[in-house]
Amino acid sequence: MKEQVKKRVSHSSVSLLVFCALLFFTASPVLAYTNINDIRMWTAPDHTRLVFDLSQSTKYEIFRLHNPERIVIDIANSKMQAKLSSLTLPDPVLLSLRHGKQKNGTTRIVLDVKNDVSPRSFLLKKSTKKPHRLVIDLIPKQKKVIKTKDFTHPGKHRDIIIAVDAGHGGEDPGATGKNKLKEKTVTLAVAKQLARLINAEPGMKAVLIRTGDYYVSLKKRVRKVRAINADMMISIHADAIKVRSVKGASVYTLSESGATPDRVAAALAAKENAVDEIGGTMPGQEATDPLVRGILGDMAKRDGLDSSEMLANLMIKELTGTFPIKYSQPKHARFAVLTTLEIPCILVEMDYISNPKREKLLKTTAHQKKLAKAMHSASVNFFTRMGRLSPQKTTAHVHTVHRGESLWSIAKQYGVSVSSLKKLNQFKHSTLKVGQRIRLPQS
Ligand SMILES: [Zn+2]
């Protein structure tokens, strides 16, 4: 039933379009122009995106001209209202642009581009937050963005690679605070701080999935996480809600599974054992035997989900005390970006940007650094527990005391003696307070 209705609607809209086109081509002066209301540009490492806001969906043509290299966009029956001079040019691929009006009412936009740039274009329909848009991607001839040679040795002695995924970006601002702070800005700032801390850690390496203000599709994020052969992914976000007083962090994983520590240990062993069996397959190269693929796939999936749960719990633990917490247990939901199931993947909602007080804090570098530090500690703790980092070698020289911990358990965790901790911190007795920060001996 529904389809029939749909068809009828699209049929009538087609007739309407034909009718309008007839009107247009018979030079009717009453037809409204498409206003090109705004223009934005986002520079990604592998493309530059131009976005034109349109007052309505429209017809356009795109073609290229050589000597010098140009890309021409003709938008039928339109009027340029946007300020092209608002763009910061030259860009790595877009050198300059200009526009002119053709006699037939078409607006011609000419982009001067570098050699070997291919255009890709598409229209986006009006949504609740955005008007109709025309998107032009300028794609330079593929320079390998990811130096895969750095990441293709999944042997035992390579660095631990952490994919740090700053949510949103470019055209997609994510949530916006009352005072205009955008989620994409905070996520990138914290991601960069986190990457810096991880890269200062011996044996660890961070790769930012997004390095600037541009959009990366969820599929592409997942593909990149796989391409770099990451051992962990942390996706960073900030939430928004109508009730402005709501605050606090929450951590998400993909599954419904409530893992117990024992299951985690078993899963962990299974994972370590499975690595050799899989034969150190490079990302994207799956086992071809469907049966083998099925079994290993399931195993990898379960292990990934369990370790995600463990990481999520460590993350909550690290955030507790320093930040308000919305949910004290990991939450589970179907996030497309978390589908790299073979590795621990979590999504951290740092706080509510919709709370003006929290927004103000989220904007400060000091607060961003604190958040990054907590995420860094959780990552270090995770890999220390996995036995892949030796506790003494990390640069996390301070430990925040959590509920249930004692000087003895902390000393054991870091492989140091109780007396060395007491001496370093000038403790006269062994009682600790939750939230207390204690210094750890350096290696
Ligand atoms: Zn988000």
Side-chain angles (χ1 to χ4, degrees), residues 65-200:
L65 296 170
H66 303 286
N67 297 321
E69 208 64 24
R70 281 153 295 162
I71 286 160
V72 180
I73 307 146
D74 281 346
I75 303 177
N77 203 35
S78 63
K79 201 170 187 178
M80 179 61 76
Q81 308 276 19
K83 272 201 182 122
L84 300 190
S85 58
S86 64
L87 303 180
T88 317
L89 292 170
D91 163 87
V93 291
L94 177 60
L95 305 171
S96 62
L97 80 168
R98 57 192 174 275
H99 75 95
K101 192 88 181 208
Q102 310 283 94
K103 271 186 189 158
N104 60 359
T106 295
T107 301
R108 170 162 290 188
I109 304 159
V110 181
L111 314 176
D112 296 302
V113 295
K114 288 224 169 131
N115 288 340
D116 291 329
V117 170
S118 309
R120 170 178 63 192
S121 66
F122 50 95
L123 286 165
L124 290 171
K125 275 188 190 152
K126 188 183 161 91
S127 66
T128 44
K129 283 182 179 173
K130 299 269 183 181
H132 289 280
R133 285 171 292 165
L134 169 62
V135 179
I136 313 285
D137 284 344
L138 305 170
I139 306 156
K141 203 167 193 174
Q142 272 309 300
K143 281 181 281 172
K144 273 261 182 276
V145 180
I146 304 159
K147 289 179 207 138
T148 38
K149 69 173 164 66
D150 295 350
F151 303 106
T152 49
H153 304 291
K156 276 181 184 160
H157 302 295
R158 69 170 180 97
D159 283 350
I160 291 165
I161 298 159
I162 301 183
V164 181
D165 175 48
H168 312 279
E171 273 291 282
D172 169 22
T176 305
K178 203 183 174 191
N179 299 304
K180 301 277 181 301
L181 180 64
K182 293 183 176 102
E183 182 184 354
K184 66 173 182 179
T185 314
V186 193
T187 59
L188 184 64
V190 175
K192 283 183 170 174
Q193 295 283 3
L194 175 57
R196 212 165 297 154
L197 291 171
I198 291 167
N199 285 329

Side-chain angles (χ1 to χ4, degrees), residues 167-168 174-175 183 187 236-239 347 349:
H168 312 279
E183 182 184 354
T187 59
I236 303 171
H237 289 253
D239 214 346
L347 189 146
E349 294 283 357

Side-chain angles (χ1 to χ4, degrees), residues 209-263:
I209 299 302
R210 169 166 84 81
T211 56
D213 191 8
Y214 51 87
Y215 188 67
V216 183
S217 73
L218 295 178
K219 255 190 186 169
K220 207 169 164 188
R221 285 173 204 252
V222 173
R223 235 184 288 144
K224 192 167 174 183
V225 172
R226 292 202 166 121
I228 61 172
N229 208 8
D231 299 280
M232 174 189 279
M233 189 200 50
I234 301 176
S235 191
I236 303 171
H237 289 253
D239 214 346
I241 197 168
K242 271 194 181 153
V243 186
R244 297 230 183 252
S245 58
V246 174
K247 63 177 178 181
S250 42
V251 181
Y252 291 84
T253 69
L254 190 72
S255 81
E256 297 286 342
S257 79
T260 63
D262 285 325
R263 256 187 77 199

